[in-house]
Structure formats: C-alpha cells, structure tokens
Amino acid sequence: LQNSSRPLDEAADAFGEAIRLNEELPAAYAAMGNLMAQNQKFDDAFYWYSEAIKRMPENENLYILRANMSRASGNFEQALTLYETASRQFPQNSRIWYEIAWTYRQTEQKAEAIESLNQALNLDSSPSSDFLLRAGLIFEWAQEEDRAVLAYQKVLLIEPENEVALARLDSLQP
C-alpha cells in the first residue's frame, strides 16, 4: 500500500523542485494542481491552482479548475462563488456558465441552472458534445423535454454513437 503513493510523491517532488528552482514558474503550480486533482486531493489541488492564478491571472481555465475542486469536494457554495467571480472577470467564457449550470443542477436549483445554461448557450456558437450532453441532462431534469431532445439530437450530430445521448433520446421519444 505504501508503494501506491510513490508515483504521486515522485511527481510532486519533481514539480516541487521546479518550483524551488523558479518560484514564478506558473506552469509548475498548475501541473501540481492537476496532479493533486487526478489523485482526488481536492484541497491540495485548490491550493496549487490558487497559486497558479496568482502567477497567471489571465488564464481563465485555472479559475474553472479551482472552482471545480471546490465542487468536487462537495463545497458547492464556494464553487458557485468562485465560478461567479470568474464569470465577472471573463464574461464571454461560456464554459464558466456551463459549470455554474451544472453546479446548480447538483444543488437542485432548477431556475438558476436553466438561467445559467441559457447564458452559456447564448455565448457559445458551437458547443461541444460534452456541453450539449450536459445541457440535455439539465433540460431533462428541469422537465423541459423538448429542449432536452434538441440538445441530445445535436450531440448525435457531432457524435452519432454517443450512448448516453442515444439512451436519453430513446427514453424521451415515444
């Protein structure tokens, strides 16, 4: 069992050494955050993403990753605060709004989830299949079946064999 953390420790040591050699190396902080996130060490990942943001405040993705760590650890209130701060700083970033919508979905806040999802869809001229699938799941949960069907159909235009979209579509159509 002790050996199971050895690769994590070795990687963390390597990133730690890179940081010691150049404390302003933002990529090392972000990489350390990614490493901790992959190993479900959410508090540690949150810390490292925060440190990376201090060094790369223009990197929108870091704000999303940090908020994702709060959500993954179950701290939905903090996650929403972080996403909303990011949405004010980067108002044209549709991914932030998708993440807000999904967080509201997880906290059973239907009106807020739909409002955030609509904001994301308004900003995103060509959403990815992942975001369309998530949109379909939110619409279906919110009992907006017509919009869910449309989202799942769009997923299938991008990924014709998407099993989740096929199954959800099949369950919604008579």
Side-chain angles (χ1 to χ4, degrees), residues 1-9 39:
L1 186 67
Q2 194 172 15
N3 287 337
S4 66
S5 67
R6 189 170 175 180
L8 171 62
D9 293 340
N39 287 279

Side-chain angles (χ1 to χ4, degrees), residues 77-92:
E77 186 175 324
Q78 181 182 46
L80 285 168
T81 298
L82 292 168
Y83 289 129
E84 289 166 3
T85 298
S87 74
R88 286 190 298 278
Q89 190 161 352
F90 308 104
Q92 298 304 309

Side-chain angles (χ1 to χ4, degrees), residues 51-67:
E51 290 299 310
I53 288 169
K54 289 177 188 175
R55 290 154 181 85
M56 286 192 300
E58 71 288 346
N59 186 319
E60 300 169 28
N61 193 48
L62 291 173
Y63 291 83
I64 295 168
L65 291 169
R66 180 175 65 174

Side-chain angles (χ1 to χ4, degrees), residues 85-151:
T85 298
S87 74
R88 286 190 298 278
Q89 190 161 352
F90 308 104
Q92 298 304 309
N93 187 315
S94 62
R95 182 172 171 213
I96 295 168
W97 289 101
Y98 285 115
E99 298 295 348
I100 292 171
W102 191 248
T103 305
Y104 280 130
R105 163 59 187 99
Q106 291 180 304
T107 58
E108 304 285 326
Q109 297 178 64
K110 189 183 298 188
E112 293 86 351
I114 294 298
E115 182 181 331
S116 300
L117 183 55
N118 287 336
Q119 180 70 18
L121 292 169
N122 287 336
L123 289 170
D124 197 345
S125 61
S126 58
S128 70
S129 61
D130 290 340
F131 288 131
L132 287 167
L133 184 60
R134 193 179 277 187
L137 293 169
I138 291 171
F139 287 136
E140 187 176 348
W141 162 76
Q143 298 175 330
E144 294 191 19
E145 286 85 7
D146 291 345
R147 294 183 79 186
V149 166
L150 183 60

Side-chain angles (χ1 to χ4, degrees), residues 43 74-75 131 134 137 159 169 171:
D43 290 340
N75 192 339
F131 288 131
R134 193 179 277 187
L137 293 169
E159 286 183 50
L169 198 55
S171 74

